[in-house]
Amino acid sequence: MSASARTAAASLLAAALVCGAHGSAWASAASARPPVPAAVVAPDSSAGNLDALEGHRIRRIDIAARNIFDPLPHGRLRGAYRLANALHIRTRESTVRELLLLQRGDLWTAERAAETIRRLRELEFLIPERLEARLMNDSVDVTVRTVDTWTTSPQFDLQRSGTTQFSTVAVAEGNVLGHGKSVSVAYHQDETGVTRSIEWNDPAFLGSRAQIDFGAARGASGKAYNADAGVRFLAPSTPHEYFADTRSIEGIDRLYSFGAETANLDVRREETEAMWGIGRESDGLVRRGVMSFAVIDRHLGPTRTLTPGPPEFQGGDERLRLRRVALEGLWWRPRYIERTGVNRMDRIEDFDVGLRLGLKLGVSPRFLGSTADEGYTRASADIGIPDENAFGLFHASFETWYRRAVRDEIQNLSGRWVAPLGGKQTLVVSAVRLAGYDVSRDFQITAGGLTGLRAYAVHELTGTRLLRLNAEDRWNGPEFWELVSLGAAVFYDAAHMRGPGADGTPWRHDAGIGLRLAFPRSALDQVLRFDVAIPIDPVRSSERRPVLSFGSSQAF
């Protein structure tokens, strides 16, 4: 089959896979096949013998990369499964080999093998089923077994605010020609007009450990691009990092007050950063040090006032240049757990419930070209709390610049608690506090229909200090024909905002129900989400009209 024929047929089949829960297929029997956890195993060996593999050199690594449906399931849809396999370009064994964190000649460790499984699980275009190790004389033979997912996927988000529709439609191919590269194109529409964008990702450039990412967008509000390349810390035991990234944004920033656009200004930001780091893991403790140099230029144009608004929105022409040299230290004791039914429904997800502390100190001296002598500090802490099957994840960070006084201070506190309620039911509770103090006038936080407040307008709350609470009872239902899994949710959202454009506004509360669809054989982003939310405390109307929103990921 030619490449063009594959592409045309693949687009049709993508729609069939996404809509596979409709039509006469409902007559087929449902299957609640649980996911098989990826595991490090030693065939024909006891658990004790698995420990005996430690420290032996890896002699060979075999790759068993299977197609989407292999073996073909029996039943009325067997022909559709066969067509999907025929249209799909299977991941090449060389691609899987390039992405492994294990190499021939390395010393075998079960911890490094577990890192490899987590690394493969992040890739989306395949599912790591098993990683097997066998002791042969004084060496270790490794077999990695994977199964492909359908990687030509639509992605979308939709929210309507009055007569204005906010929508994003994208098409992504996550495994170009079986090489593990991904490309996506997107179309976004909001009250300012249309924006088109493209993204490219290569997780193993020319078969190396180097990654390359590129993205560009252009629309009614301006243009932007970003690019980065290099070798990152991919796992706790990765010893080196050398990386560079650059990004540029040029366009119009819009400032909102009480849900309406009040002012706007021209903005141009350009930033380039290069970094080099070393790391060491010993007895489960990871220590890292990173040195970086950043070139940051920001230009804010004069404010254009549309309606009366806060004085903090006003300002003239501003230019800022920073040439920052920084050192960063990390102290990390990772502890990963595997769970299903949280964000990905059927997919296994990795959560780090260990402790992670970071501190970054920098200086931007005038003699390097900075506008003025400035200091920089960023401190962060992440901690997890496992409690039998439940667990919590908590994050705190503080970032600020110092020039005669503290300025541009950003505080971020967030926490999430995940608790199974029995069967396939999971309660997820989240709290976020994000605050900015003495920030530039283009800094604004938003809470609304696209940011965890589902019954309200997209720009319902805007300001500089946000507190948002979300709770969702998620139910993961049965899987049908190895194509689609059904789920549902009952949710509650609340948010409060302070600062310019929001002072004096009350809390917003909403509640609702939702439908969830997941595709275990597809790389479609997380889940398809259809939510109906009702405002508990309406602001502009005494009626509690339901609001429909949907997207290709969870709401929080």
Side-chain angles (χ1 to χ4, degrees):
M1 183 179 291
S2 68
S4 60
R6 284 183 184 270
T7 302
S11 299
L12 294 175
L13 187 64
L17 286 175
V18 171
C19 302
H22 299 285
S24 61
W26 281 107
S28 299
S31 164
R33 177 179 53 84
V36 179
V40 180
V41 297
D44 306 322
S45 301
S46 65
N49 288 337
L50 182 60
D51 294 336
L53 300 176
E54 294 287 321
H56 289 273
R57 199 163 297 280
I58 298 174
R59 185 183 67 166
R60 59 182 293 173
I61 299 178
D62 296 319
I63 308 296
R66 297 191 291 122
N67 214 328
I68 303 172
F69 300 101
D70 183 9
L72 281 174
H74 294 281
R76 297 170 58 185
L77 296 179
R78 186 178 178 88
Y81 300 141
R82 183 181 291 109
L83 177 61
N85 283 345
L87 296 175
H88 174 73
I89 300 178
R90 185 169 57 88
T91 302
R92 302 170 188 269
E93 294 184 2
S94 59
T95 298
V96 179
R97 192 180 303 276
E98 291 167 357
L99 295 167
L100 298 180
L101 300 179
L102 294 169
Q103 301 270 339
R104 179 182 176 185
D106 290 348
L107 297 179
W108 164 269
T109 67
E111 183 177 353
R112 189 69 164 171
E115 291 176 356
T116 295
I117 292 173
R118 290 194 293 269
R119 162 68 170 156
L120 295 178
R121 195 175 286 145
E122 293 174 353
L123 297 173
E124 305 252 338
F125 60 84
L126 56 77
I127 301 173
E129 287 195 321
R130 296 172 75 84
L131 191 154
E132 302 172 350
R134 185 191 303 271
L135 189 63
M136 301 296 292
N137 298 322
D138 61 347
S139 301
V140 176
D141 288 353
V142 177
T143 301
V144 180
R145 304 183 185 277
T146 67
V147 60
D148 275 7
T149 62
W150 183 265
T151 54
T152 304
S153 304
Q155 301 173 359
F156 53 87
D157 289 283
L158 175 66
Q159 177 76 28
R160 182 174 293 276
S161 175
T163 60
T164 303
Q165 178 172 296
F166 296 78
S167 60
T168 299
V169 179
V171 177
E173 169 52 53
N175 192 9
V176 177
L177 300 178
H179 288 288
K181 326 303 181 187
S182 67
V183 61
S184 68
V185 293
Y187 175 98
H188 175 76
Q189 179 180 352
D190 57 25
E191 80 275 19
T192 66
V194 172
T195 299
R196 296 173 176 84
S197 63
I198 185 171
E199 294 184 6
W200 170 267
N201 169 260
D202 185 346
F205 180 65
L206 297 179
S208 69
R209 294 290 175 88
Q211 303 177 39
I212 291 181
D213 296 280
F214 172 80
R218 180 182 290 272
S221 293
K223 58 184 179 180
Y225 78 87
N226 67 275
D228 54 65
V231 176
R232 283 199 180 275
F233 288 120
L234 296 176
S237 60
T238 303
H240 300 287
E241 175 183 66
Y242 35 96
F243 212 83
D245 60 50
T246 182
R247 59 183 58 87
S248 174
I249 299 175
E250 183 176 350
I252 301 174
D253 261 13
R254 305 177 190 276
L255 303 176
Y256 293 82
S257 180
F258 304 102
E261 183 180 350
T262 301
N264 59 58
L265 64 152
D266 295 327
V267 175
R268 186 175 70 249
R269 302 185 190 92
E270 296 179 349
E271 181 174 348
T272 300
E273 185 172 20
M275 61 198 75
W276 177 83
I278 57 174
R280 179 184 178 187
E281 181 184 25
S282 177
D283 297 326
L285 178 63
V286 178
R287 300 180 182 88
R288 288 176 180 166
V290 178
M291 180 174 62
S292 62
F293 178 71
V295 176
I296 304 169
D297 292 299
R298 186 186 72 188
H299 176 209
L300 304 182
T303 298
R304 295 182 290 266
T305 301
L306 305 180
T307 61
E312 290 87 349
F313 289 179
Q314 302 304 313
D317 194 77
E318 297 180 32
R319 296 178 184 272
L320 175 68
R321 298 187 311 276
L322 298 174
R323 307 296 184 260
R324 184 183 69 202
V325 179
L327 292 175
E328 183 176 8
L330 176 72
W331 187 94
W332 179 27
R333 190 174 292 278
R335 181 184 176 187
Y336 285 96
I337 59 175
E338 294 182 351
R339 295 292 186 270
T340 58
V342 181
N343 299 314
R344 302 296 302 273
M345 292 180 65
D346 291 323
R347 295 282 185 89
I348 298 172
E349 300 173 75
D350 298 294
F351 297 94
D352 181 13
V353 294
L355 176 64
R356 184 184 182 115
L357 303 174
L359 178 64
K360 185 173 183 178
L361 300 175
V363 60
S364 300
R366 187 188 295 269
F367 74 84
L368 288 180
S370 299
T371 303
D373 294 329
E374 286 198 5
Y376 173 80
T377 300
R378 186 183 189 278
S380 64
D382 295 271
I383 185 171
I385 301 178
D387 181 19
E388 295 183 356
N389 291 327
F391 66 94
L393 300 173
F394 303 92
H395 168 80
S397 64
F398 169 88
E399 181 179 18
T400 187
W401 290 91
Y402 184 86
R403 188 201 299 178
R404 296 180 182 173
V406 171
R407 56 178 294 177
D408 288 322
E409 178 183 330
I410 310 296
Q411 299 176 5
N412 187 354
L413 297 173
S414 62
R416 173 172 294 218
W417 187 260
V418 179
L421 300 180
K424 292 191 173 184
Q425 192 177 5
T426 302
L427 175 65
V428 182
V429 179
S430 172
V432 175
R433 181 186 182 273
L434 181 60
Y437 298 91
D438 296 316
V439 291
S440 59
R441 68 182 189 274
D442 64 323
F443 177 89
Q444 191 166 72
I445 305 169
T446 299
L450 300 179
T451 48
L453 196 59
R454 282 165 273 192
Y456 293 93
V458 172
H459 299 291
E460 180 69 19
L461 295 175
T462 53
T464 56
R465 296 186 292 280
L466 166 70
L467 178 59
R468 196 190 74 209
L469 308 174
N470 301 93
E472 195 163 274
D473 186 357
R474 298 171 180 172
W475 174 76
N476 297 328
E479 178 185 310
F480 294 86
W481 323 286
E482 301 190 30
L483 288 180
V484 61
S485 297
L486 297 183
V490 178
F491 60 84
Y492 167 79
D493 306 321
H496 185 254
M497 187 76 73
R498 297 178 62 188
D503 283 332
T505 57
W507 278 82
R508 304 294 196 272
H509 307 264
D510 70 52
I513 59 175
L515 172 68
R516 305 290 184 264
L517 301 178
F519 305 94
R521 300 288 182 167
S522 172
L524 188 68
D525 186 20
Q526 299 186 13
V527 300
L528 291 186
R529 171 181 59 84
F530 300 83
D531 287 330
V532 178
I534 297 177
I536 298 175
D537 186 13
V539 177
R540 299 183 179 87
S541 172
S542 60
E543 300 179 8
R544 289 182 168 87
R545 296 180 178 177
V547 177
L548 172 65
S549 65
F550 58 93
S552 55
S553 63
Q554 298 281 12
F556 67 93

